[in-house]
Amino acid sequence: DVLRGLNFMLLVAGDARDPHLPGTQEYVKEIAMFVQNDGLQDLVRIHQGFVDDKDLSVVFHAADFAVLNHQTGLLSNSAVLRQLQAYGVPVCAAKTPPLSDAADGGALLHETVDELAENLVLLAKDQNLRDELRRQAKVVAGRMSTEVTAKLHEDLYVSLVH
């Protein structure tokens, strides 16, 4: 009820769970039922599966913020965070080592469901916070640009050769 009346759309995208694992279809149905039972159909869209690379730019540019709630320590989770940072999308992320390390101050982090809920309300209501996180995301992304990374590799190579 806290978010009703705010102008936003929640897009649930990606593989919520491995589609080959038992229970995945039931999990997605459970989310859809929750949305319907709470009358949130106008606020929530579910896109099961990955967003095609050609559509990422449109989705990221349209996003007011993104939520990465990965609870596992897979290093690949930080790649999505890096993409969001490059687009300057404010992020709310689970405080897991790869995500919290990659966030580098450019995201709101949560450890519990209550913290996640608090962060979502903050992001939905506070344009100044979103603007600051957008600025920080671009700074973090700039430190990880191809040019910066190439220079770091070159400097390492030169130091090893000499």
Side-chain angles (χ1 to χ4, degrees):
D1 287 337
V2 174
L3 298 178
R4 291 195 192 276
L6 295 176
N7 184 18
F8 75 96
M9 167 70 65
L10 174 63
L11 172 65
V12 179
D15 285 332
R17 292 186 178 183
D18 185 331
H20 304 293
L21 290 177
T24 297
Q25 294 303 318
E26 292 79 11
Y27 179 71
V28 173
K29 286 178 186 174
E30 183 180 328
I31 293 171
M33 189 180 312
F34 173 80
V35 168
Q36 181 156 354
N37 289 344
D38 281 16
L40 300 173
Q41 300 91 324
D42 292 340
L43 301 176
V44 179
R45 297 288 183 267
I46 298 174
H47 173 84
Q48 190 176 1
F50 290 104
V51 176
D52 192 286
D53 286 344
K54 67 179 175 44
D55 298 325
L56 279 180
S57 177
V58 173
V59 171
F60 287 169
H61 282 297
D64 288 318
F65 59 90
V67 178
L68 297 177
N69 200 35
H70 301 103
Q71 297 299 314
T72 60
L74 299 174
L75 291 174
S76 62
N77 295 338
S78 62
V80 175
L81 175 60
R82 291 288 187 218
Q83 287 179 306
L84 289 162
Q85 289 170 327
Y87 280 92
V89 178
V91 174
C92 177
K95 193 173 183 179
T96 58
L99 291 178
S100 58
D101 292 345
D104 197 17
L108 289 182
L109 301 175
H110 61 272
E111 293 184 87
T112 66
V113 172
D114 289 340
E115 288 176 357
L116 169 60
E118 289 171 17
N119 287 345
L120 291 176
V121 171
L122 280 171
L123 283 167
K125 288 185 168 185
D126 192 338
Q127 179 66 50
N128 291 331
L129 175 60
R130 290 194 309 270
D131 290 344
E132 177 59 21
L133 287 172
R134 192 176 303 280
R135 187 193 66 72
Q136 289 177 5
K138 289 182 179 181
V139 168
V140 171
R143 289 196 303 257
M144 302 305 286
S145 71
T146 303
E147 293 81 12
V148 170
T149 304
K151 179 68 173 137
L152 290 170
H153 283 95
E154 179 184 7
D155 292 347
L156 176 61
Y157 176 77
V158 168
S159 72
L160 292 172
V161 171
H162 292 95

